[in-house]
Amino acid sequence: MTAVSTRESGSKPVEAPLLGAAFWRRSRGLISWFWLSLVLLFIYAPILVVASASVDPGEYIMNRAFLQFPPKGFTLHWYFNISPSMWLTILNSLMLAACVSAGSIVLGVPAALGIMRGSFAGRNFISSLFRFPLQIPFIVVGVAFLQGSYVVAAATGINLTSNLTGLFLAHLLVGIPYVVGATGSTLAQLSPRYDEAALTLGATRWRVARRGAFPLSRPGVFGGALFAFLGSFTDVTIALFLTPQGYETFPVRVFNSIQNDLESSLPAAATIVFFISAAAILILQRIAGMETVLRSSGNKK
């Protein structure tokens, strides 16, 4: 197809789009979708492998089932064969992560309000201190808390590693920076004039924070709490040092099972945990409105 021109009295030639330009525009869209599909496949391929293996009947060797991928059949036997101790580890992880998430909100939100709305010397330095725990390797955090628990036990007789208290404190150290960072990013998008107007009308600073800043920063608060929850729920490195006997978490159970004797019901339990996590994230996004943060992040005024 070639350029077409029209000759009319007093009018300029009009060129039609070339076929090559139109073809290139369509090709760019197809290439973008193809590349996006490859990235999504790369992210979710391991999960698809585990989920597919969880429905495989298994090949029995010496009275032990070995699951295969791709599956040779279909069965839900392994989902109904998850041991009570496995369910207990999932419950331990869920309760621990929920406590860490709540504690991160209680301690992290006031800190974020103080950093973003306060005017004091060294504010940037204090803000960097809240981000510092995320820069420390988790194995260092685990060793530090383990040694610290020995010191506390020798001084007070309280053994933090006799239950999940020590692990909770270690996960709280890592969870608070998520809440502080996410809440602070949301507060940075809010105009301080709202606070000034409320103070002018006689509201106290506590009332301004409780009725104004906190509701407006809710997407950031819940987003940070979600990251704190997931960080605690999926942690293996710190938990290996601080998990006491009888309080095993799900990631530690998975790690020990892989190291010793892989349980045939483990892929089924992992698949259930994945779908529970995905459903929780979707529900939280709809309730907290985190899409609002994503849409407004590039429109800061």
Side-chain angles (χ1 to χ4, degrees):
M1 183 176 181
T2 57
V4 180
S5 61
T6 58
R7 293 184 180 180
E8 298 179 0
S9 57
S11 63
K12 295 182 179 180
V14 180
E15 295 185 355
L18 297 178
L19 179 59
F23 176 78
W24 172 244
R25 283 196 297 269
R26 295 192 187 95
S27 299
R28 279 193 304 178
L30 293 175
I31 293 173
S32 299
W33 279 108
F34 177 74
W35 183 254
L36 178 63
S37 301
L38 287 180
V39 174
L40 290 175
L41 180 63
F42 174 78
I43 294 174
Y44 289 101
I47 299 173
L48 292 175
V49 171
V50 173
S52 300
S54 68
V55 297
D56 181 67
E59 180 179 354
Y60 285 84
I61 301 177
M62 298 180 63
N63 296 325
R64 182 162 175 250
F66 291 87
L67 305 186
Q68 306 173 70
F69 178 83
K72 304 300 182 181
F74 180 84
T75 181
L76 296 178
H77 169 73
W78 306 117
Y79 286 87
F80 296 101
N81 200 39
I82 299 176
S83 63
S85 60
M86 180 76 75
W87 286 113
L88 181 60
T89 61
I90 296 176
L91 181 61
N92 287 339
S93 294
L94 288 173
M95 293 179 61
L96 175 64
C99 292
V100 170
S101 181
S104 299
I105 292 177
V106 172
L107 298 178
V109 172
L113 288 172
I115 293 173
M116 299 306 299
R117 290 293 186 260
S119 55
F120 51 88
R123 189 175 65 171
N124 292 333
F125 174 72
I126 293 178
S127 177
S128 64
L129 287 180
F130 276 101
R131 294 192 299 268
F132 185 67
L134 296 180
Q135 314 302 321
I136 304 175
F138 280 5
I139 190 171
V140 176
V141 175
V143 172
F145 268 87
L146 182 62
Q147 295 297 325
S149 67
Y150 293 154
V151 174
V152 172
T156 64
I158 301 175
N159 186 5
L160 298 177
T161 59
S162 62
N163 49 41
L164 292 177
T165 302
L167 184 57
F168 165 75
L169 295 176
H171 282 178
L172 194 63
L173 173 70
V174 180
I176 290 176
Y178 287 117
V179 175
V180 173
T183 305
S185 299
T186 308
L187 290 173
Q189 301 179 34
L190 303 178
S191 174
R193 296 178 181 177
Y194 296 119
D195 296 352
E196 296 172 359
L199 292 172
T200 302
L201 294 174
T204 62
R205 290 193 175 274
W206 166 247
R207 186 176 179 85
V208 170
R210 183 171 59 89
R211 300 295 298 273
F214 179 75
L216 292 175
S217 62
R218 186 181 63 174
V221 173
F222 283 98
L226 174 63
F227 282 110
F229 180 92
L230 295 177
S232 173
F233 188 79
T234 60
D235 171 66
V236 178
T237 308
I238 299 176
L240 284 176
F241 289 95
L242 301 175
T243 300
Q245 187 176 4
Y247 292 90
E248 197 175 35
T249 60
F250 180 69
V252 173
R253 175 64 175 267
V254 173
F255 180 82
N256 291 333
S257 178
I258 294 175
Q259 291 292 318
N260 301 320
D261 186 16
L262 184 63
E263 301 176 59
S264 301
S265 60
L266 186 59
T271 304
I272 291 175
V273 169
F274 166 74
F275 282 109
I276 291 176
S277 302
I281 292 173
L282 292 176
I283 293 173
L284 186 58
Q285 284 182 341
R286 186 168 294 273
I287 293 176
M290 283 186 286
E291 291 89 348
T292 304
V293 177
L294 296 177
R295 287 196 298 266
S296 61
S297 59
N299 299 322
K300 181 180 176 181
K301 295 182 180 181

